[in-house]
Amino acid sequence: MSSPLKPPEGNWWDQAVNRRESIWLGLGVIWSLVLFGWMSIWTRTGDQNPIGETYRVTEAEFQEKMAAYKDAAEETEQGLVPDDTSVYMAGVRFAWDGAPVVLEADTQYDFHLSSYDVQHGFSLRPEATLSKQINLQILPGYEWVVPMTFDEPGTYHIICNEFCGEGHRSMHDTIIVTEAA
Ligand SMILES: [Cu+2]
């Protein structure tokens, strides 16, 4: 097989690189180092990082906390009204324990999230804009305490977005957010 390209003549590999090409190569190296450093800083300090704290917890321990939370909460037709600003919620195939829940807008809540069985996805979406969402991963053995404030009153849907088995598609519940008192 022959190439349509003509090979350059002479010992081209032994000639000095053009100065402008050297400058471009130098700039390329410097820029790649800048981006590499930026990537390293960003993964530590960027806003994309999960917030809140996580704790080791057994499923039984979390179920106990959930029971105490439910005892203190008020049960209404719309859902649980928590006693204070702590909200407990756990994924369990194929439902959300602790939901539905009724909260107030403009109040900062601490969501205590966990799972009783497998990994679940906690996707929270306002009903008016279902494509707008936050996504958190819920793991058994961990309690993740996430601060959350709802700016707008309305219905928010909790949808599992981590495939967890046959009933995954029905793993849905709601948070009702009322006007700030
Ligand atoms: Cu699921």
Side-chain angles (χ1 to χ4, degrees), residues 93-94 96 118-121 159-165 167-169 171:
R93 286 186 298 177
F94 301 97
W96 293 101
V118 297
Q119 181 169 0
H120 293 288
I159 298 163
C160 179
N161 68 348
E162 185 65 49
F163 184 73
C164 55
H168 166 68
R169 68 195 158 78
M171 198 168 156

Side-chain angles (χ1 to χ4, degrees), residues 39-69:
M39 177 179 72
S40 176
I41 295 166
W42 192 250
T43 51
R44 287 171 177 81
T45 64
D47 283 343
Q48 78 284 354
N49 289 329
I51 51 165
E53 315 240 331
T54 41
Y55 304 94
R56 278 278 194 183
V57 71
T58 65
E59 280 110 76
E61 280 166 356
F62 197 82
Q63 272 162 345
E64 260 175 50
K65 291 182 180 199
M66 178 64 86
Y69 160 77

Side-chain angles (χ1 to χ4, degrees), residues 51-168:
I51 51 165
E53 315 240 331
T54 41
Y55 304 94
R56 278 278 194 183
V57 71
T58 65
E59 280 110 76
E61 280 166 356
F62 197 82
Q63 272 162 345
E64 260 175 50
K65 291 182 180 199
M66 178 64 86
Y69 160 77
K70 281 183 178 173
D71 275 348
E74 187 196 336
E75 254 189 81
T76 69
E77 241 171 61
Q78 284 191 300
L80 278 182
V81 180
D83 182 37
D84 57 16
T85 54
S86 291
V87 179
Y88 281 77
M89 213 166 273
V92 55
R93 286 186 298 177
F94 301 97
W96 293 101
D97 192 17
V101 69
V102 183
L103 305 176
E104 265 179 33
D106 296 331
T107 299
Q108 186 178 307
Y109 291 95
D110 283 324
F111 271 69
H112 298 248
L113 302 169
S114 192
S115 164
Y116 296 153
D117 41 32
V118 297
Q119 181 169 0
H120 293 288
F122 181 89
S123 171
L124 193 57
R125 314 174 184 210
E127 188 163 71
T129 333
L130 282 173
S131 58
K132 203 165 141 187
Q133 56 177 306
I134 60 158
N135 288 297
L136 305 174
Q137 291 290 318
I138 309 299
L139 293 160
Y142 291 94
E143 177 177 350
W144 187 2
V145 187
V146 188
M148 253 189 253
T149 308
F150 294 85
D151 300 334
E152 303 268 335
T155 302
Y156 291 76
H157 293 266
I158 312 160
I159 298 163
C160 179
N161 68 348
E162 185 65 49
F163 184 73
C164 55
E166 255 189 351
H168 166 68

